[in-house]
Amino acid sequence: LPDGRVVKDPDLQVQRTIDLAFARFTLLGSCQKVMRSLRDDGVLFPRRQHSSAVPEKMLWRLPSTEALMRLFHNPAYAGAFVYGRNGPHPERRPGQARRVRRPPEAWIAIHQAVYPASSSWDTYMEHQERLADNASAFARRAHAAPREGAALLAGLVVCGRCGQQMHVV
């Protein structure tokens, strides 16, 4: 606002859609599952268009992983102002990104309860741990064919309807 205050978007549909995304992440535990769930339910996701002739025009699009990741990683939705989320790459080589995302413990400043929040700070930190664990679990997965066991589908199976993961031995 012109007086410097930060408020939630006055559009209740925007607020409810963002709250729904956070609730589904708490329930489902992964960004991909939230995206599939929202898409399956036909939920459109709000995005501000900054480069149009109409300034700050609200667009409603199918949710994308990128848009949801930006939402879940943004501490402002937990009511916090932070500084230092990104910093210079410590060992940058040509072709690498100049800046890298820092872990929360390396942020320079964190001021909680500054903005109206869609989730608590504790929930935000739990989500960050879950997102990091999801990413590291993905990186640990072997990309080769399974070599152990007598089952045809030995390993990890994901249900096509609900996305639940099951281990088959």
Side-chain angles (χ1 to χ4, degrees), residues 2-138:
D3 63 0
R5 289 182 301 129
V6 176
V7 297
K8 286 186 176 185
D9 193 300
D11 186 336
L12 289 178
Q13 186 177 3
V14 171
Q15 291 181 31
R16 289 182 181 137
T17 304
I18 289 170
D19 291 344
L20 176 64
F22 279 109
R24 294 232 178 142
F25 186 83
T26 300
L27 179 68
L28 300 172
S30 92
C31 190
Q32 283 292 326
K33 288 180 185 178
V34 172
M35 184 195 64
R36 284 193 304 262
S37 171
L38 293 174
R39 284 181 172 225
D40 288 349
D41 291 344
V43 175
L44 297 177
F45 209 68
R47 297 191 193 170
R48 292 247 180 242
Q49 183 172 353
H50 298 287
S51 60
S52 72
V54 180
E56 300 295 315
K57 180 180 178 186
M58 181 65 71
L59 301 175
W60 291 89
R61 302 273 190 246
L62 286 173
S64 67
T65 304
E66 179 184 339
L68 290 170
M69 289 295 276
R70 279 196 311 266
L71 176 76
F72 298 144
H73 279 298
N74 190 337
Y77 287 100
F81 169 81
V82 302
Y83 179 76
R85 282 196 305 164
N86 298 308
H89 195 296
E91 300 169 6
R92 183 176 180 268
R93 294 188 299 267
Q96 285 185 321
R98 292 177 185 258
R99 301 186 62 76
V100 294
R101 181 174 294 171
R102 293 176 174 156
E105 57 272 8
W107 294 348
I108 296 167
I110 301 172
H111 299 282
Q112 296 178 30
V114 175
Y115 304 134
S118 295
S119 71
S120 71
W121 181 255
D122 291 338
T123 301
Y124 171 78
M125 292 306 292
E126 289 170 12
H127 287 178
Q128 298 315 296
E129 289 176 23
R130 189 69 168 277
L131 289 166
D133 186 50
N134 290 346
S136 65
F138 179 78

